[in-house]
Amino acid sequence: MTTTWTDADPSAFLANVTPAGRRRDAQVLLDLMREVTGLEPKMFGPSIVGFGEYAYQYASGHRGTAPAAGFSPRKAATVVYLADGLRAHASALAKLGPHTAGTGCLYIKDLTKVDLDVLTGIVRASLKTLTAGTYGKRAHEG
């Protein structure tokens, strides 16, 4: 099943996020990503708050679209999606503060403990890369 844009209301989704600290972090990220992208949020699938869209096409020929910036407030941690891969942001991530990482996912347990200016720069740089044209890499190649 392919994840797609929905008509669900991001504000209603975020109002039901638990625990309260995760809901607080989600509101901060909502404002941060609105500012960075200049766009309003839309739901991508049932749990990803996305901003803008980028086109991708892999060497295999597989192509599609996905949020150019986005996050998901999960119970264990908030996920910030960086489809250009975390390696592209290694020096900034070293200055971010407490986080864990997957290939294209940045996991933050408490947004009050990270440097929001650094996070803003990471999101801005990722957005610029992803929206410069059709993106041809997978996150692990970034």
Side-chain angles (χ1 to χ4, degrees), residues 7-85:
D7 291 328
D9 179 10
S11 295
F13 167 69
L14 295 177
N16 292 309
V17 168
T18 58
R22 194 78 63 237
R23 187 170 48 253
R24 174 206 64 220
D25 289 355
Q27 187 59 53
V28 171
L29 280 173
L30 184 78
D31 295 341
L32 182 151
M33 290 194 181
R34 266 189 181 130
E35 181 182 322
V36 168
T37 66
L39 301 168
E40 288 301 309
K42 287 184 67 177
M43 293 301 297
F44 190 72
S47 63
I48 298 172
V49 180
F51 296 81
E53 186 174 85
Y54 78 99
Y56 62 87
Q57 181 172 353
Y58 302 139
S60 66
H62 178 78
R63 68 173 68 201
T65 59
F71 70 93
S72 183
R74 309 285 170 127
K75 275 211 189 294
T78 297
V79 182
V80 177
Y81 296 99
L82 301 170
D84 58 336

Side-chain angles (χ1 to χ4, degrees), residues 101-142:
T103 303
C105 299
L106 177 63
Y107 301 97
I108 302 172
K109 290 190 179 198
D110 186 347
L111 209 57
T112 65
K113 295 182 178 180
V114 301
D115 187 323
L116 289 180
D117 290 335
V118 171
L119 183 58
T120 298
I122 291 168
V123 172
R124 184 173 281 121
S126 180
L127 178 73
K128 183 177 179 183
T129 298
L130 293 172
T131 58
T134 300
Y135 193 70
K137 296 181 181 179
R138 295 178 183 261
H140 71 273
E141 299 169 330

